[in-house]
């Protein structure tokens, strides 16, 4: 009997009901879970994903932040709702765009795993079943909660505010890439100069342990210098341009170090670490 279910089981059943397109039943399970454990953050987050009205989602996220002020998913959920309400899809900056990318990526990975067994009385598809807009032969009960398009689990991405199609998510992410060609030029030039200077100084030091210590630090420093110079505007391929600039800037020092094999190894190690750190920072 469902009356004997504990909080975790209620949450799992709520998530399972949401996945098969039964939001009313999902809300019922999740509200029962919250009544049983009002401080359960997972239950509040799951309820936010299946609430119909933005105000209901906002109330859930605000409750989560009262329970866990550092909860990234709740903060991002509020930010996504604010962006949706703005005419141009943007809102005042309150959260790093990197955090949004991270949560979306994590949500996409979680989608690959089952969220729990479906309710035992799950209904079968009938003649009124929907078919995925991208896979016409696949039955589904899911819809994108932004555009309303029918989507199957292969096309759905679970965000803090519910399931969305990849097209809507792509348009929302495109808002973050506001940099232009000039930003690429500026970023490449900064990386060229700083990468060249750093490689020259590293060649003078010549000690491999300095390469291990300074490589990641220099890479992050170059990335932050680029971000500050372009006023934190994001560009999809800035990391490629910066990596190439750093390598090109270091070429003279690499050529000069050919006469000292050990110095070449040290400098190469330094550049691998620096370029890797800068690329990871800007992705």
């Amino acid at each position: 009997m469902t009356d004997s279910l504990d909080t975790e089981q209620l949450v799992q059943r709520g998530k399972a009901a949401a996945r098969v397109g039964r939001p009313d039943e999902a809300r019922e399970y999740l509200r029962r879970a919250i009544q049983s454990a009002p401080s359960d953050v997972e239950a509040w987050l799951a309820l936010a994903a299946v609430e119909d009205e933005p105000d209901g989602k906002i109330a859930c996220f605000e409750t989560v932040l009262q329970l866990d002020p550092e909860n990234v998913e709740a903060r991002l959920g509020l930010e996504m709702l604010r962006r949706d309400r703005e005419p141009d899809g943007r809102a005042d900056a309150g959260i790093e765009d990197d955090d949004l990318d991270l949560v979306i990526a994590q949500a996409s990975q979680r989608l690959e795993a089952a969220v729990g067994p479906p309710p035992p009385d799950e209904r079968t598809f009938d003649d009124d079943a929907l078919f995925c807009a991208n896979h016409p032969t696949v039955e589904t009960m899911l819809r994108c909660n932004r555009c309303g398009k029918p989507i199957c689990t292969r096309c759905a991405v679970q965000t803090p505010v519910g399931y969305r199609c990849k097209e809507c998510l792509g348009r929302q992410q495109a808002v973050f890439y506001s940099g232009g060609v000039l930003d690429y030029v500026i970023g490449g030039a900064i990386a060229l100069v700083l990468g060249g200077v750093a490689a020259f100084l590293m060649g003078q030091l010549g000690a491999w342990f300095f390469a291990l210590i300074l490589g990641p630090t220099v890479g992050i420093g170059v990335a932050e210098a680029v971000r500050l110079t372009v006023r934190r505007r994001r560009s999809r391929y800035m990391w490629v341009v910066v990596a190439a600039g750093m390598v090109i800037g270091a070429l003279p020092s690499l050529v000069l170090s050919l006469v000292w094999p050990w110095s070449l190894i040290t400098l190469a190690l330094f550049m691998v670490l620096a370029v890797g750190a800068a690329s990871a920072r800007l992705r």
Side-chain angles (χ1 to χ4, degrees):
M1 297 179 61
T2 57
D3 291 340
S4 62
L5 296 176
D6 59 24
T7 302
E8 183 179 356
Q9 291 173 321
L10 289 169
V11 171
Q12 292 302 319
R13 285 178 176 247
K15 290 181 177 180
R19 285 196 64 173
V20 296
R22 298 161 67 176
D24 292 338
E25 187 169 340
R27 284 191 289 270
E28 181 182 350
Y29 277 119
L30 293 169
R31 285 168 181 163
R32 286 175 53 195
I34 289 171
Q35 288 177 355
S36 173
S39 61
D40 191 300
V41 170
E42 184 181 0
W44 281 107
L45 288 173
L47 181 60
V50 297
E51 283 284 6
D52 284 334
E53 299 298 326
D55 290 341
K57 295 178 183 290
I58 290 173
C60 291
F61 288 136
E62 289 177 342
T63 302
V64 171
L65 291 176
Q66 291 175 1
L67 297 170
D68 179 12
E70 301 301 321
N71 190 282
V72 175
E73 190 167 349
R75 291 191 294 119
L76 288 168
L78 289 174
E79 180 71 6
M80 292 176 75
L81 290 169
R82 295 192 190 105
R83 292 180 187 275
D84 288 347
R85 287 186 170 186
E86 289 293 322
D88 60 354
R90 297 187 69 92
D92 293 336
I95 297 176
E96 286 287 337
D97 294 335
D98 292 337
D99 292 339
L100 181 59
D101 294 338
L102 176 61
V103 168
I104 289 173
Q106 291 173 340
S108 299
Q109 293 173 358
R110 289 201 301 269
L111 193 62
E112 300 297 328
V115 296
D121 57 345
E122 178 181 329
R123 70 186 179 191
T124 58
F125 290 106
D126 54 28
D127 293 338
D128 295 327
L130 299 172
F131 289 87
C132 175
N134 301 319
H135 304 94
T137 61
V138 179
E139 293 178 326
T140 183
M141 294 294 288
L142 282 175
R143 286 182 180 271
C144 172
N145 72 349
R146 184 167 189 178
C147 69
K149 180 173 64 178
I151 48 177
C152 65
T153 54
R154 284 185 293 170
C155 301
V157 179
Q158 187 180 15
T159 71
V161 294
Y163 291 104
R164 290 193 173 176
C165 66
K166 295 178 181 178
E167 289 76 14
C168 284
L169 199 60
R171 285 193 292 270
Q172 186 164 9
Q173 285 182 299
V175 173
F176 304 134
Y177 295 112
S178 56
V181 176
L182 182 59
D183 288 345
Y184 284 119
V185 174
I186 294 173
I190 292 174
L192 182 72
V193 173
L194 295 183
V197 172
F200 174 77
L201 294 177
M202 189 67 234
Q204 300 302 307
L205 293 175
W208 64 269
F209 55 87
F210 282 125
L212 291 176
I213 297 172
L214 297 178
T217 303
V218 169
I220 293 174
V222 171
E224 288 302 313
V226 171
R227 293 181 67 186
L228 290 174
T229 305
V230 300
R231 298 183 180 181
R232 295 189 178 276
R233 290 188 295 269
R234 290 175 59 86
S235 299
R236 190 180 299 272
Y237 301 111
M238 180 63 79
W239 67 276
V240 177
V241 173
V242 169
M246 292 177 68
V247 171
I248 294 172
L251 284 178
S253 297
L254 289 169
V255 171
L256 290 175
S257 65
L258 289 174
V259 295
W260 297 289
W262 184 249
S263 178
L264 176 61
I265 294 173
T266 299
L267 186 55
L269 174 64
F270 170 78
M271 289 306 302
V272 168
L273 294 174
V275 171
S279 300
R281 190 73 171 177
L282 293 171
R283 279 191 178 183

